[in-house]
Amino acid sequence: MSAVLDHHDHAHDHDHHAPTGWRRWVFATNHKDIGTLYLLFSFTMFMFGGVLALGIRAELFQPGLQLINPELFNQLTTMHGLIMVFGAIMPAFVGFANWMIPLQIGAADMAFARMNNFSFWLLIPAGLMIVGSFFMPGGAPAAGWTLYAPLTLQMGPSMDAGIFALHILGASSIMGSINIIVTILNMRAPGMTLMKMPMFCWTWLITAYLLIAVMPVLAGAITMTLTDRHFGTSFFNPAGGGDPVMYQHIFWFFGHPEVYIMILPAFGIISQIIPAFARKRLFGYASMVYATGSIAILSFVVWAHHMFTTGMPVTGQLFFMYSTMLIAVPTGVKIFNWIATMWKGSMTFETPMLFAVGFIFVFTMGGFTGLILSVAPIDIQLQDTYYVVAHFHYVLVAGSLYALFAGYYYWAPKWTGVMYNETRGKWHFWLSLVFFNITFFPMHFLGLAGMPRRYADYPMQFADFNMLASVGALGFGLSQVYFFFFIVLPTMRGQGEKASQKPWEGAEGLEWEVPSPAPFHTFETPPRLDATATKVLGY
């Protein structure tokens, strides 16, 4: 008895309904088009944020002030962080969710198609406002990406633009999350129970709940900042009896779950790719689901490990230290499960698998430095040094970004109908891996030696490692330009070998049951899965 009982061929004969021209994109309600728009927006912001990062590294190439003054330097660090987190990484994962979740669960589209369109188009004015803040009186916000008071109370009008942009981005995230939750819970193909869903859907379901829980917290913190700036309140202004440390508590109550919002979908992508190229079932599917849920819950009780130097009582330090260490357990479960999936598998190393294995290696290193920073007495020494910068770039660049690259190489043949150039893909991987480590590994030593972050100048003893990091950053940035021009553009233009319906031999899941490229409308009649559907889905 076949696993897919009602897989109708005529579900793919409606391609002629696809609108054309600019209307197709402006009024897009098709999940694939909106997913593409998200990915293009996020890549644009990623390149802009990368240019800001190169500005930072150019200034730090040598000691002394070379190119930019300290005020502009602080604007670059602030805007680089905000743009990469809210403009690049998060919209990219939402783009993957839009493209893949309906295909993976056998749904015709997302639950709320027009709200999906609206949630994307909110990003454009928000992005323009953030980028445009450089041209406002006094320049862009320069309070660090965490927007700590009292610095935010002293900034020019661009701070208000930044707050408004973050509100809009938050509204977009909440709408996208509602859409994802309703789609996953209500629109799965008949016979697909929750525990038969692909891991990518599970990680996004949990991420969407996290987003709905914490985006209003950020909105509250920045609204209180706004009223402090213009309406005479003193939430965070010590002169009026306010407390700047209260802002840190509120921000990090949002900020720590936010870190997991940016990594959980990455875990989902890696959990799809490793079984495909190991040609084995994912080891410990149920434990992966429970580990993802555990990480989400624990992420709400570890926020003050960012605040060990704020005069927290020792009891509080101990609580946050131990709870932070505890979160390493479910993360470790995932890493061991991926390794167990690869163990004795029939592995091949195409580009998606290279990025997935690179992800495990470098993300684990980032995890270990996080574990070191969780120890309060060590963190007090390393707080606000380049050690912290190295740690979160190992987790976010080599974590989130590598997973996004892996997902692109894995699913792009399904999106575009053509295979990327494998040799170029491998060049992109090795260049990214080598230059990433040249950039960020020396920062551990800079931090251990005491170099503070967000400083435009430094003494001579830090010169060699800074020069090395700056050279690596330029190489890493150029590697991503190479990725766009030599890998993404040719596949978008349809140049390359035609992709088969299932280009990866070990890949399993409903997305490989539709032709390549995926038709404009898929699963108009939902596929019906029977009890043996685990064979098709690979779980």
Side-chain angles (χ1 to χ4, degrees):
M1 190 167 165
S2 98
V4 181
L5 295 181
D6 281 349
H7 190 66
H8 291 296
D9 290 335
H10 67 253
H12 307 302
D13 63 5
H14 295 287
D15 293 15
H16 58 275
H17 285 186
T20 53
W22 60 271
R23 281 184 177 79
R24 169 175 178 177
W25 301 102
V26 173
F27 303 126
T29 51
N30 184 283
H31 71 98
K32 302 178 185 74
D33 285 352
I34 294 173
T36 303
L37 287 169
Y38 266 107
L39 291 170
L40 289 171
F41 173 83
S42 89
F43 194 80
T44 306
M45 295 299 273
F46 171 62
M47 296 313 281
F48 184 76
V51 169
L52 301 184
L54 289 178
I56 296 166
R57 289 310 327 168
E59 177 54 54
L60 293 174
F61 184 69
Q62 286 181 307
L65 294 176
Q66 333 286 331
L67 305 169
I68 52 182
N69 61 34
E71 179 64 19
L72 179 57
F73 184 87
N74 283 337
Q75 292 175 25
L76 292 182
T77 53
T78 302
M79 300 311 287
H80 166 70
L82 285 173
I83 285 168
M84 287 305 202
V85 169
F86 295 104
I89 298 292
M90 287 173 66
F93 280 126
V94 179
F96 271 84
N98 265 293
W99 247 107
M100 297 317 303
I101 287 173
L103 286 179
Q104 290 191 326
I105 64 173
D109 208 309
M110 298 294 278
F112 305 117
R114 284 191 175 84
M115 186 167 84
N116 206 10
N117 174 287
F118 187 46
S119 67
F120 169 74
W121 284 109
L122 282 177
L123 297 181
I124 303 298
L128 289 173
M129 238 183 298
I130 283 185
V131 172
S133 64
F134 278 103
F135 306 102
M136 294 180 180
W145 82 272
T146 50
L147 305 177
Y148 275 4
L151 283 172
T152 45
L153 310 181
Q154 301 157 10
M155 292 286 130
S158 64
M159 191 70 235
D160 303 319
I163 288 171
F164 191 34
L166 285 177
H167 272 302
I168 296 172
L169 290 166
S172 168
S173 291
I174 289 170
M175 284 195 286
S177 301
I178 291 168
N179 218 341
I180 287 165
I181 290 169
V182 175
T183 304
I184 290 175
L185 293 184
N186 289 352
M187 298 177 68
R188 298 191 308 281
M192 183 183 282
T193 60
L194 284 173
M195 293 306 278
K196 284 183 185 172
M197 279 198 314
M199 268 311 298
F200 181 64
C201 297
W202 258 117
T203 53
W204 243 117
L205 179 65
I206 291 166
T207 301
Y209 277 114
L210 276 180
L211 272 165
I212 289 173
V214 301
M215 289 314 286
V217 177
L218 174 67
I222 58 180
T223 303
M224 290 154 89
T225 303
L226 196 69
T227 60
D228 274 12
R229 284 170 57 82
H230 297 293
F231 300 108
T233 58
S234 293
F235 291 113
F236 311 130
N237 186 357
D243 184 3
V245 175
M246 182 172 76
Y247 175 86
Q248 295 190 29
H249 277 290
I250 301 168
F251 178 86
W252 285 115
F253 191 77
F254 147 80
H256 207 78
E258 166 68 15
V259 173
Y260 291 100
I261 285 163
M262 290 188 284
I263 202 66
L264 289 180
F267 289 166
I269 292 172
I270 300 303
S271 300
Q272 301 289 130
I273 291 171
I274 284 177
F277 292 94
R279 290 160 180 80
K280 279 176 65 185
R281 293 273 179 86
L282 179 66
F283 180 88
Y285 172 85
S287 65
M288 290 289 255
V289 172
Y290 298 136
T292 308
S294 307
I295 289 170
I297 292 162
L298 285 171
S299 73
F300 284 101
V301 294
V302 297
W303 78 89
H305 66 210
H306 299 268
M307 300 170 56
F308 284 144
T309 54
T310 57
M312 187 189 299
V314 173
T315 317
Q317 290 188 7
L318 284 172
F319 171 81
F320 287 108
M321 183 167 109
Y322 292 136
S323 59
T324 304
M325 290 176 175
L326 189 61
I327 217 163
V329 176
T331 312
V333 166
K334 288 178 167 296
I335 288 165
F336 283 119
N337 281 9
W338 290 324
I339 292 169
T341 305
M342 291 189 281
W343 178 253
K344 293 192 175 176
S346 177
M347 285 199 291
T348 53
F349 291 95
E350 288 87 350
T351 310
M353 186 62 164
L354 284 176
F355 268 107
V357 174
F359 166 93
I360 294 174
F361 171 65
V362 195
F363 175 79
T364 304
M365 287 170 63
F368 277 129
T369 54
L371 211 50
I372 289 164
L373 288 168
S374 74
V375 182
I378 299 177
D379 183 80
I380 287 165
Q381 299 298 313
L382 297 176
Q383 171 78 12
D384 264 337
T385 68
Y386 266 76
Y387 193 91
V388 178
V389 177
H391 157 68
F392 71 65
H393 281 88
Y394 264 78
V395 175
L396 270 187
V397 180
S400 301
L401 189 64
Y402 276 24
L404 287 164
F405 286 143
Y408 176 82
Y409 285 109
Y410 184 57
W411 283 309
K414 180 59 62 185
W415 301 346
T416 61
V418 293
M419 293 299 290
Y420 62 89
N421 183 302
E422 188 64 57
T423 307
R424 291 177 184 175
K426 287 181 171 157
W427 268 104
H428 175 225
F429 168 73
W430 287 110
L431 288 170
S432 295
L433 186 74
V434 169
F435 281 124
F436 168 80
N437 282 291
I438 290 173
T439 306
F440 293 107
F441 200 76
M443 291 185 189
H444 293 103
F445 302 120
L446 289 170
L448 288 165
M451 180 173 168
R453 61 181 176 175
R454 299 179 186 164
Y455 275 41
D457 192 9
Y458 53 87
M460 197 66 208
Q461 75 244 37
F462 300 136
D464 292 346
F465 278 145
N466 268 300
M467 184 178 284
L468 194 60
S470 293
V471 171
L474 180 63
F476 187 77
L478 291 175
S479 306
Q480 310 326 314
V481 175
Y482 172 84
F483 167 68
F484 183 71
F485 282 105
F486 292 97
I487 294 154
V488 176
L489 272 186
T491 54
M492 285 173 72
R493 290 174 177 155
Q495 297 166 2
E497 184 189 328
K498 188 163 178 357
S500 62
Q501 178 172 310
K502 187 174 164 183
W504 314 115
E505 183 193 326
E508 291 180 319
L510 285 179
E511 70 263 42
W512 308 109
E513 303 287 317
V514 300
S516 298
F520 192 70
H521 295 292
T522 42
F523 299 125
E524 291 190 348
T525 307
R528 184 176 298 277
L529 311 181
D530 69 9
T532 63
T534 49
K535 179 175 180 300
V536 165
L537 300 177
Y539 307 113

